[in-house]
Amino acid sequence: MRGVGVVVRLLLVLAALAGCHAPPPSAYVRGTSVERSPDQTSLGSNSAGEACLQQPAGERGAEVFCGSWQQPSARVEFGGPASVADLPGVAAGGAWRTGIDARMQCEAPVRTTILGGQPALLLSCASRLGGWPQVAMVAAVNGSLWRADAVLPAATAMERSIGVLSGVVRPDTAPPGSQADGLLARRLAARPFSASDVGAFDQLLTAGIRANLANDPPDAELAFRAALALQRKVLGRDDPNTATAVLSLAVQLSNQGRDAEANEMFAEAAPLVARSADSTAQARLLHYRGLHAKNEGRLDVALALLSQAEAAYAVWIPADALHAGLAPRGSTRSLIAAGQQSEALVRPNPALLADPRAELAMVGLIEARRNRALVLRGLGRSDEARTEVASAIDLARANGVDQPMLSGRLYRTLGVAASSQGANTTAVADLARSSGRFEVALPGSKTLAETELLRAAGLQRAGRDGAAVAACRVAVQALIALKTGIDQELIAPCLSAYAAEAGGRDQGLLAEMFVAAQVAQGGITAEQIAEASARLRANGRDPKVATAIRSWQDASDKLSALYGQRDAIAAARQQGRPPPSGLSQADIDRQIADGQAAVAGADSALQVAAPNYGQLVQQVVPAADVAALLHPREAFVAITLSDHSGWVFALRAGGAISVAPVPGGTQQMAELVRRVRASIELTATGLPKFAVDDARALYAATLGGVAKSLDGVTSLVIAPSGPLLSVPFAILLTGPADPGALASAPWLVRTFALTDVPAPANFVSLRKIAGTSRASHPWFGFGDFRPITLAQAQRSFPGATCADSARLLAGLPALPGSQKELDAARQLMGAGPADELLGSAFTADAVLRVPLKDYRTLQFSTHALLPAELRCQDQPAIITSAPSRAGDAAGALLTSDRILGLNLDADLVILSACNSGGPGGTTAGESLSGLARSFFYAGARSMLVTHWSVNDVAAAYLVTDTLRRMRASGGPGVAQAMRDAELSLLDAAVKAPGSPAAHPFFWAPFAVIGEGGEAGGPS
């Protein structure tokens, strides 16, 4: 048995690539648990006090399990008749020693005795994965040879197992003392740890790998950091065997675009790698640095590093395996060219089976070569890319390492390369092969979904829209079950295929198209959803929620591992080998059925523990559910964008779904939004001239296509995407306008009350709980913050890379009008003087101490910064005062992870100093939407936020007038109340020609996000 260590090391090479390109690849995942035999013998406790059980294995051998680790802590083999003279030869060479060397790095054997004087040789070792102290031993006991190895705390259990198997001791008696006991005790005293520590390390490493494969870098980062911390606790910070965890963490930081931190981790790993027990560590350092260079866009550097990595892996591969070919059956490249690729697996190369290090190196080399192909494609060298990946397939098949997950990834790269060359038919065929392999290895996975979407794109390009829709259905259903989204570019061909098949008439297909559009995610949205989910899993403030989320994830991971075991069993059967886990096909199928039931049960438990979890993750709702919750004169509009295309959907209660294309997609919309925002925000020379033509073009490109279906509607709920999240729809123009007479222009707000939602699922969830707050107090306000000093900001954002962030944070000005704004709102809402937190008392920790669940309205009259503005801050934050005598700015940042931990029951949260524009005026809207998701999870129903830095007087008027209208008897919801307040400013400007109040800068900074309430009805 090779154990989990080799599998995890294989996974590390395969998994490092996930998230480095779109779509991310997956890896071959096998289970980490072992089915234990009922024929077990208790061996007492190991040196860490963990109970150990002996389980028969092989001829007269055994495996020993200690503590909670689901892998053997020790292995014992019977070697036949032998004398003490045979021990040096056995310890120095042969199949057993080869296997030990593959898993461990050992010192020279030391003569000792066990079991009261039986001769033995003891090897002090360290595992190649993780560097955990191990021992290996050969012993001659009453004329018989015994070979064994163990993780150090289980060494005494290993010795007792030899005694029981040889008949020297009974299981229920202590073994006689031996010379080896002293050697082991001294070594263990230097680094005390338990078998469960090793198991926890392996589980954390595997969890990080799986999160990485699921394109969830924040969660992967958390797991790898925890694994590294556990390892350092036992081995020390500078132990060379921490290199694996350091490198894994570096790749995750690179995948998140945190290049400076990644560079620091790679620099930290370099000296460790040189001394690591892991023979492939140097090759992996080059490999991962190549991926980092690819992430940074330094493709020439990436190509050179990946070539060096390939050469470094090759050192550990036998020459016959490195140059193996398929000449007797024809080369893969010729078969590919002929479209006749054989599906049969080739028997594994015996040289690789004999040395797992060689197999690990071979997989690493194949992956490095495949990534070279991706880099070559990025450099425009498509012919070379296709040749490179075809040679990788040749090598994998010739050596029998083309497990379905690995070959699936190779064929996908081959298909993408063919597509870039315009060979669409070949690309579709290659992608079909890839999907077939992923269906075997990981059915229902994100990897399969991504591959099916790539195949659907090829089918759609070929005019085979019906076949494309079928592939899209498989992908969308998998993504829905996984509660995850996908890059907009991957889903865009599906939407085109649905539209073509529906012909504007088939409401069933249009409803499917509406669902498919919901799995599309912008990069920032995907990252923030992953980060929020990861924070909740690590949330110590609400362990019930954290446990429920982790249980659901663990159940999903276990099911994924079972699929991997099924794949391994199938591969072994085809190659004439016994199944690696000892399980039959019927056994694994039964466990998979149980696993599927466990996932369903964990999902139900998660909904009970965290009813608002759907506000954060990528949930999907049918069009019928949206329409059923709309008011009679209300419509729902969803807009999805990809780089060059887009679609707008309009839904009404009891009405048909209307769909229209958005010309130009993200690129055209981003340019229009940028020009509109540039014509709004105040400059050093005053107010710019408003871009009326661009505002009208935005309307025509988005709502204009479904305008006829909106006749008679007075209230719109809009789920925008991409750059459209950075502009309030109120300023769109439905017709021609004179820049000199803006007060009377046909603004969209004159036709509709407007509400934004992050996604259709948010609308459904929030509408169901509208008006159900049980809070006993009407209002609480926060504001009049004290600016952060430059010194405090620099300590929170040190170094040249973050200097701009430090200056921006320290440069946020005081808001002298905020206290007047809050006082006016407090009096209007009937709150008392104690219902405010102002000035130096207004800190992030102080906010957390307020019983926020008791207040129906919360108002933050302060700055809010989004990551697009504060580049070294990876999550949105509300700015507060810093605590008294604080050395840094950490206590002045009410970040989204802290907002997730709030306990709210608020109908409305007001943020009156956000800026959704970001650099270029279009990039921060997704972050603002992410901040709203956090508040909705915490228990808010709606938010009133600003899209740009506001005028104090105008903001105070708009907020207080909105609140006044809502509090009136039978008053409207917040969306209608805000509309009425905005129109009152515009109408006043009509009566005062030339008034600056007609400019959107003054009247249109606010937007309602969430549950806007019914126009003309109670909130």
Side-chain angles (χ1 to χ4, degrees), residues 675-681 683 685-694 737-742 999-1000:
R675 293 203 297 259
V676 168
R677 284 194 61 112
S679 74
I680 292 175
E681 299 187 61
T683 68
T685 58
L687 281 176
K689 179 180 178 182
F690 183 70
V692 292
D693 292 338
D694 294 318
D738 179 358
L742 293 177
H999 195 285

Side-chain angles (χ1 to χ4, degrees), residues 968-992:
S969 177
V974 61
Q976 182 64 46
M978 173 52 67
R979 174 181 183 249
D980 291 342
E982 291 173 336
L983 291 179
S984 70
L985 272 182
L986 280 173
D987 291 342
V990 170
K991 298 173 183 177

Side-chain angles (χ1 to χ4, degrees), residues 424-425 428-429 455-456 458-470 497 501:
N424 195 59
T425 300
V428 169
R455 187 169 73 90
L459 293 167
Q460 192 265 336
R461 283 193 298 271
R464 299 169 59 187
D465 292 311
V469 165
E501 282 291 284

Side-chain angles (χ1 to χ4, degrees), residues 431-449:
L431 291 167
R433 293 188 186 101
S434 177
S435 287
R437 283 155 171 77
F438 288 141
E439 181 62 50
V440 170
L442 288 177
S445 67
K446 187 173 184 181
T447 301
L448 174 61

Side-chain angles (χ1 to χ4, degrees), residues 146-310:
W146 296 92
R147 302 178 294 252
D149 66 88
V151 64
L152 185 57
T156 54
M158 173 190 73
E159 181 182 354
R160 180 174 293 187
S161 178
I162 294 174
V164 170
L165 293 170
S166 63
V168 172
V169 298
R170 298 200 314 269
D172 56 350
T173 62
S178 70
Q179 185 182 357
D181 292 342
L183 294 174
L184 295 171
R186 286 193 295 274
R187 189 169 176 223
L188 189 60
R191 288 177 175 175
F193 67 102
S194 68
S196 296
D197 286 336
V198 184
F201 173 78
D202 284 345
Q203 289 174 353
L204 287 166
L205 215 57
T206 303
I209 291 165
R210 287 176 175 158
N212 187 41
L213 298 174
N215 200 18
D216 187 357
D219 213 23
E221 179 191 346
L222 287 175
F224 286 134
R225 281 196 188 280
L228 181 59
L230 177 59
Q231 198 178 23
R232 283 175 167 171
K233 182 186 75 173
V234 174
L235 304 181
R237 182 178 181 86
D238 297 324
D239 190 283
N241 296 299
T242 59
T244 292
V246 174
L247 285 172
S248 300
L249 184 56
V251 171
Q252 292 312 309
L253 295 169
S254 175
N255 289 345
Q256 295 177 75
R258 293 155 62 184
D259 296 339
E261 295 173 78
N263 287 330
E264 291 176 5
M265 295 302 291
F266 279 119
E268 186 176 332
L272 301 176
V273 161
R275 298 179 288 122
S276 172
D278 185 351
S279 56
T280 60
Q282 183 63 44
R284 193 150 6 101
L285 173 62
L286 293 166
H287 194 162
Y288 289 11
R289 284 179 56 211
L291 299 178
H292 178 46
K294 181 177 178 293
N295 286 344
E296 293 180 304
R298 298 182 295 127
L299 298 186
D300 289 327
V301 174
L303 193 64
L305 286 168
L306 290 168
S307 298
Q308 294 172 41
E310 188 172 332

